[in-house]
Amino acid sequence: MKNDIPAIGIIGGSGLYEMKEVRDATEHKIDTPFGAPSDSLIGGKVSGRQVYFLPRHGRGHRILPHELNHRANIYALRSLNVRWIISVGAVGSLQEKYEPRDVLLPSQFYDRTSHRAAHTFFGEGIAAHIAFAEPISTKLRNLLAESAKSLGVTVHNGGTYVNMDGPAFSTRAESEFNRRNGFDVIGMTNLPEAKLAREAEIAFAVMAMITDYDCWKVEEEAVSAQTVLSHVMANAETAKKVLLNVIPRIPTEPNWPAHYALDSALVTDRKLWPIATVEKLKPILRRFLAD
């Protein structure tokens, strides 16, 4: 599927793609060399921009964090010429100053996941090592911060997101360890998306929607699915407002640093690239194949 117009991707819950502001909605069932994405993608126009929505956990929330096929999700979006991704997800707060229903826009990640092989597109004859010191697109993060502030949303611009495997929530010992290390929020999904988006030359930012205090705050009820769900609906409404404000402010030309991430990452001499791997990664490597 070839798409010439650079698009915006939104990864998040079902409430997002059901926004009444989405015009000319279409459903896209995409197969990828890495398997099936979490669900069909919903395409449509928002403020005249082409946007694709992906329900991260599938419609009806059927997929656990460790079951997510992040490669298929990001590959599917890239095959539709998505060049900016805003990833919306629930997180626990690790610091007193971040309250439930606040929004934190992470600038850093700490990786506590264990699925390294599933967090890269490369291998099979083509080696690439992306620069990841700054894992989030600063320009996209700042646009989100400006939109949130203009709407009166309590937003924290910057901070460290520690990514755990799940699906169980933290033990109190783990939660205290993460707090002592100065991490700000904890979640189960966004770091693999950020790594793969960087490899796919997509500018990526996260709207971390705070639902609870993890389990470190002993005077509060320890986090449970019920606690989280009680804040999810309010957070979804906040996310919709911010997205509607920020989408028309995202540039139409993909010329940020993230859009050229592979220039300094590809190690293998191009003459040695296996044909089968090139074919598999064509949506990601296309600009290197033009000459």
Side-chain angles (χ1 to χ4, degrees):
M1 187 181 299
K2 191 173 187 302
N3 297 273
D4 295 325
I5 300 170
I8 299 163
I10 309 294
I11 303 176
S14 59
L16 300 180
Y17 64 80
E18 290 162 352
M19 291 190 295
K20 65 180 185 299
E21 291 83 1
V22 179
R23 303 281 180 246
D24 307 321
T26 54
E27 192 161 327
H28 302 261
K29 184 172 171 53
I30 296 177
D31 294 317
T32 84
F34 299 95
S38 295
D39 209 324
S40 298
L41 284 75
I42 308 299
K45 293 290 181 69
V46 177
S47 298
R49 299 296 299 277
Q50 182 62 49
V51 182
Y52 292 98
F53 298 85
L54 176 63
R56 179 186 292 108
H57 297 281
R59 278 171 268 197
H61 205 113
R62 298 170 284 107
I63 306 169
L64 283 168
H66 69 282
E67 297 176 312
L68 288 168
N69 190 338
H70 293 289
R71 287 190 293 188
N73 287 346
I74 301 299
Y75 189 102
L77 288 162
R78 187 64 180 86
S79 72
L80 292 167
N81 205 18
V82 164
R83 305 311 308 275
W84 301 266
I85 289 176
I86 299 169
S87 180
V88 182
V91 297
S93 168
L94 295 169
Q95 306 295 335
E96 187 88 43
K97 61 187 174 182
Y98 306 130
E99 300 180 2
R101 305 195 183 190
D102 285 5
V103 178
L104 186 135
L105 307 174
S107 51
Q108 283 293 329
F109 286 103
Y110 189 84
D111 190 356
R112 284 187 52 212
T113 63
S114 55
H115 300 285
R116 182 168 66 170
H119 298 167
T120 180
F121 292 115
F122 290 95
E124 298 180 8
I126 304 180
H129 299 277
I130 51 160
F132 208 55
E134 301 296 334
I136 293 287
S137 167
T138 303
K139 291 176 183 285
L140 188 54
R141 174 168 57 85
N142 287 337
L143 282 177
L144 284 166
E146 290 162 13
S147 286
K149 284 175 187 167
S150 75
L151 296 166
V153 172
T154 303
V155 61
H156 309 275
N157 188 8
T160 299
Y161 176 127
V162 54
N163 203 131
M164 64 185 289
D165 276 329
F169 294 116
S170 303
T171 67
R172 188 160 282 124
E174 290 167 339
S175 198
E176 289 292 357
F177 175 85
N178 288 325
R179 273 172 53 71
R180 281 197 303 274
N181 277 280
F183 303 143
D184 295 294
V185 294
I186 186 164
M188 303 179 187
T189 58
N190 291 147
L191 175 67
E193 294 173 348
K195 284 186 175 178
L196 291 160
R198 180 63 55 84
E199 287 191 350
E201 298 191 317
I202 298 170
F204 179 89
V206 172
M207 286 181 66
M209 317 299 289
I210 296 172
T211 58
D212 57 83
Y213 281 108
D214 204 30
C215 63
W216 60 269
K217 198 170 183 185
V218 291
E219 64 269 28
E220 297 268 336
E221 179 189 358
V223 62
S224 66
Q226 286 72 29
T227 314
V228 169
L229 291 170
S230 69
H231 293 298
V232 162
M233 293 311 293
N235 284 348
E237 289 307 309
T238 298
K240 285 183 200 177
K241 284 191 251 181
V242 175
L243 289 170
L244 288 172
N245 185 280
V246 80
I247 284 169
R249 301 175 61 232
I250 294 172
T252 55
E253 289 301 317
N255 55 14
W256 290 350
H259 298 125
Y260 302 97
L262 292 180
D263 281 352
S264 58
L266 291 161
V267 176
T268 309
D269 189 303
R270 196 168 135 186
K271 294 191 292 289
L272 301 176
W273 289 4
I275 293 170
T277 307
V278 169
E279 190 61 32
K280 181 179 181 180
L281 299 182
K282 193 169 275 184
I284 293 165
L285 296 175
R286 185 170 284 122
R287 73 183 182 89
F288 296 94
L289 308 174
D291 51 24

